[in-house]
Amino acid sequence: MDMLQIGIVIVVLLLLVKPVGSYIYHVFSNEPNRTDRMFGPVEKLFYAIIGLRKRSGMSWKTYALSMIATNIVLVAVSYAVLRLMGGLPVNPNGTGNMDASLSFNTVISFMTNTNLQHYSGESGMSYLGQMIVITMMMFTSAASGLAVAIAFIRGITRREGGLGNFFEDFIKAHVRVFLPLALIVTLVLVGLKVPQTLDPTVTVHTLSGAVQHIAMGPVASLESIKHLGTNGGGFFGANSSHPFENPSPLTNVIEILSMWTISAALPYTFGRFANNRKQGWIIFSAMMVLFLAFLSLTYVSEKSGNPLINQLGIDASQGSMEGKEVRFGVAQSALFTAVTTAATTGSVNNMHDTLTPLGGLAPLAEMMLNVVFGGKGVGLVNMLMYAILGVFICGLMVGRTPEFLGKKIESREMKLIAVAILAHPLIILAPTAISFMTHLGTDALSNPLYHGLSQSLYEYTSSAANNGSGFEGLGDNTVFWNVSTGLVMLLGRYVSIIALLAVAGSLSGKKLVPESIGTFRTDTKLFAGILVGTVLLIGALTFLPVLVLGPIAEFLTM
């Protein structure tokens, strides 16, 4: 039954990849299509409002600066709302202002598509904050990421025309992708009993005579974009394990597909732009091979149960159910865990801190690699980066100038790719080490020894990968953790974006090299194997030592 549940979800995903990938291609190809009649007038209205008369292509520098400037304005507005939240309207529960370090962490978290929450949603945020700051930034951060991915695809596939116009891509991502899909998913979730209301917290008297306060609010609208935009976070502190956010196995599957489908469809979109759909399927296949490996590790580890508890003679036929909801069981919990860290969503339907050591290693590894589907465009862009690296390595082995999609890969591109590849482990491992050098970091750990290392490592890995999930045994709402993870989220988002847009800009200006008998084809099964091998080799060289000190050591000592 477990395998059937997982298999059905994967089959549905496979059926969605081609139509969704084709739709995204038509949205951003800037060619006339049938969606223009419906969405064209709305887009023209937004173009008029922002004064965008000419939508000419941008250089990579202009594209990057446009995105960063837009993000800075949104951060400033959101920070002001959080600091003044207690005196603003739509606050029926009287939630007070958020303090400075937590506000800094929160606005950075949601602008970078991380959605790491060092506060509990129902008590730390007013309804206005949930809608104006959280939900709004879930849309804008996802649209920013998708726009960058499309710009990168254009840069490496086009013969001319540049990377496109950021503001046009940004508006199209909202109007034609996220807003209509979010509306549909919101209505479906409301129909499946997810609350959507502005009523204040409900006070009820239980059968035993106690008084209970039940938090509600505009939950369904936040849930839809939090998954569609691979944002993560949650209206409630319990996230998607809360019955109001995720009441049934059916809503669980809907949320899994919502956060997975667009990321999984982007390789097909890439294939359409490259006029080589097989190329897109090869990238998708490499991602799926890695995903299935990590999903299998999580499922088998959790289904086998905790060895220490098994030794006590307790019935472990259901697997390790610590920290999991009975309505989901091991199968849907493991699938949700694998998808949320593969798609860098960060939404959780179980407590990752209570996963078995190897069960917790899998989501850690997915975020460390940051190429297994990834968030809105992040996974595809990073996987294409590894594809270029793989082509470069193969070129060195045979003594031939490497080419990717008919364009020569030279020293400039490799230097920029090296920056992106090295920045990711640096901003994970260095802060993790620093956190153990001061009591400001160690005081927050709830577990000693190996699991304590995993808690700190997971927090910075999640921040660097712009995921947002956490080993929630960590007491992270302190100035040290708010500021340090905020800086890691910034670097994790923008260093790689700038470096890879520069790569796209460099490649977009190169002439196509005619294919010859010596050309190394990148749309074959052989290249898919090389791609997977390159990802695992780089990942092992950078992260295996710290994983040995954390989850692997914990597993070996159980």
Side-chain angles (χ1 to χ4, degrees):
M1 181 60 73
D2 285 356
M3 292 297 99
L4 181 61
Q5 292 181 43
I6 294 172
I8 289 174
V9 176
I10 293 176
V11 169
V12 172
L13 174 81
L14 292 173
L15 293 175
L16 291 172
V17 164
K18 184 175 179 178
V20 174
S22 295
Y23 177 76
I24 295 173
Y25 167 75
H26 288 303
V27 167
F28 293 104
S29 65
N30 296 331
E31 297 174 356
N33 60 75
R34 286 178 292 179
T35 62
D36 292 341
R37 182 177 300 178
M38 180 183 301
F39 298 116
V42 180
E43 289 174 354
K44 289 179 180 177
L45 174 62
F46 282 113
Y47 295 149
I49 292 173
I50 65 175
L52 188 65
R53 295 181 179 86
K54 295 182 179 180
R55 301 191 293 276
S56 55
M58 296 177 171
S59 68
W60 76 265
K61 292 180 181 178
T62 306
Y63 201 100
L65 287 173
S66 298
M67 185 207 69
I68 293 171
T70 302
N71 286 188
I72 288 173
V73 172
L74 294 169
V75 164
V77 171
S78 299
Y79 184 82
V81 170
L82 294 182
R83 297 290 286 137
L84 302 172
M85 188 165 54
L88 295 175
V90 198
N91 187 8
N93 299 320
T95 304
N97 300 335
M98 190 175 283
D99 69 52
S101 71
L102 185 56
S103 296
F104 167 78
N105 183 276
T106 301
V107 295
I108 296 302
S109 175
F110 282 87
M111 192 65 262
T112 58
N113 203 236
T114 310
N115 298 42
L116 185 75
Q117 289 179 290
H118 287 179
Y119 65 92
S120 183
E122 63 266 49
S123 60
M125 193 72 68
S126 69
Y127 287 178
L128 183 71
Q130 296 277 26
M131 292 186 293
I132 298 299
V133 177
I134 306 308
T135 304
M136 178 271 290
M137 293 183 80
M138 284 180 172
F139 277 100
T140 54
S141 65
S144 297
L146 182 56
V148 167
I150 296 299
F152 185 84
I153 291 172
R154 290 193 188 114
I156 66 175
T157 59
R158 278 185 174 181
R159 299 186 181 185
E160 56 184 17
L163 306 188
N165 186 290
F166 170 75
F167 300 109
E168 181 180 15
D169 294 338
F170 187 68
I171 289 173
K172 280 188 172 183
H174 280 95
V175 174
R176 301 199 187 202
V177 180
F178 293 115
L179 283 170
L181 289 177
L183 176 62
I184 293 170
V185 174
T186 297
L187 293 175
V188 171
L189 291 178
V190 169
L192 295 173
K193 312 303 181 185
V194 175
Q196 180 70 17
T197 179
L198 294 179
D199 290 341
T201 297
V202 176
T203 301
V204 298
H205 296 274
T206 67
L207 294 176
S208 61
V211 176
Q212 183 177 358
H213 303 285
I214 302 176
M216 298 193 301
V219 182
S221 57
L222 186 146
E223 286 300 299
S224 62
I225 188 57
K226 108 174 182 182
H227 289 106
L228 288 167
T230 60
N231 292 286
F235 194 97
F236 301 97
N239 213 282
S240 286
S241 63
H242 195 289
F244 283 179
E245 288 197 23
N246 192 7
S248 68
L250 180 56
T251 59
N252 195 62
V253 170
I254 291 171
E255 292 181 6
I256 288 172
L257 291 172
S258 295
M259 62 177 151
W260 198 4
T261 301
I262 295 178
S263 297
L266 280 174
Y268 187 82
T269 302
F270 163 67
R272 292 292 304 270
F273 271 100
N275 291 320
N276 186 348
R277 302 183 192 191
K278 188 177 179 181
Q279 180 77 71
W281 284 117
I282 289 297
I283 300 295
F284 175 86
S285 299
M287 290 178 171
M288 183 59 79
V289 166
L290 291 167
F291 173 80
L292 292 175
F294 291 121
L295 171 61
S296 299
L297 179 59
T298 301
Y299 174 75
V300 171
S301 299
E302 298 307 306
K303 194 64 178 179
S304 299
N306 188 315
L308 298 179
I309 294 179
N310 294 345
Q311 291 173 12
L312 299 176
I314 298 174
D315 181 17
S317 58
Q318 290 186 342
S320 177
M321 285 298 293
E322 182 186 5
K324 298 178 182 64
E325 290 295 312
V326 175
R327 67 183 184 277
F328 301 139
V330 167
Q332 290 210 36
S333 296
L335 181 59
F336 202 103
T337 297
V339 172
T340 195
T341 46
T344 65
T345 306
S347 174
V348 296
N349 75 346
N350 64 91
M351 181 64 74
H352 287 192
D353 198 31
T354 62
L355 292 170
T356 59
L358 295 185
L361 183 149
L364 252 176
E366 285 184 304
M367 293 185 294
M368 287 171 170
L369 298 179
N370 207 19
V371 298
V372 188
F373 295 111
K376 285 299 152 280
V378 173
L380 174 64
V381 170
N382 285 343
M383 186 60 93
L384 291 175
M385 173 184 69
Y386 277 99
I388 295 172
L389 178 61
V391 167
F392 182 77
I393 293 172
C394 291
L396 291 178
M397 293 174 66
V398 299
R400 177 184 170 88
T401 301
E403 303 163 10
F404 185 64
L405 300 181
K407 297 184 178 183
K408 287 187 177 182
I409 308 301
E410 298 174 305
S411 61
R412 173 177 168 79
E413 291 80 38
M414 293 315 303
K415 289 175 183 177
L416 290 167
I417 286 174
V419 169
I421 288 178
L422 295 175
H424 186 61
L426 177 63
I427 61 176
I428 293 173
L429 300 178
T432 300
I434 292 171
S435 73
F436 283 95
M437 297 170 64
T438 170
H439 71 89
L440 297 175
T442 55
D443 287 351
L445 303 178
S446 61
N447 293 87
L449 300 176
Y450 312 117
H451 196 78
L453 173 61
S454 296
Q455 287 182 324
S456 178
L457 177 65
Y458 195 104
E459 187 78 359
Y460 286 116
T461 303
S462 178
S463 300
N466 299 137
N467 179 268
S469 62
F471 272 19
E472 295 302 340
L474 184 73
D476 48 25
N477 187 15
T478 66
V479 173
F480 173 83
W481 287 99
N482 286 337
V483 173
S484 63
T485 55
L487 293 175
V488 169
M489 287 185 283
L490 277 174
L491 294 172
R493 176 74 162 181
Y494 295 107
V495 169
S496 61
I497 280 179
I498 293 171
L500 293 174
L501 280 177
V503 171
S506 178
L507 291 175
S508 67
K510 293 190 175 185
K511 295 181 179 179
L512 290 179
V513 178
E515 187 174 315
S516 68
I517 192 171
T519 300
F520 179 62
R521 297 189 62 86
T522 57
D523 57 359
T524 63
K525 295 178 182 178
L526 172 62
F527 183 72
I530 291 172
L531 185 54
V532 171
T534 303
V535 169
L536 293 178
L537 178 62
I538 299 297
L541 289 173
T542 50
F543 293 113
L544 187 57
V546 74
L547 290 174
V548 169
L549 294 174
I552 294 176
E554 184 182 0
F555 169 74
L556 294 175
T557 54
M558 291 183 72

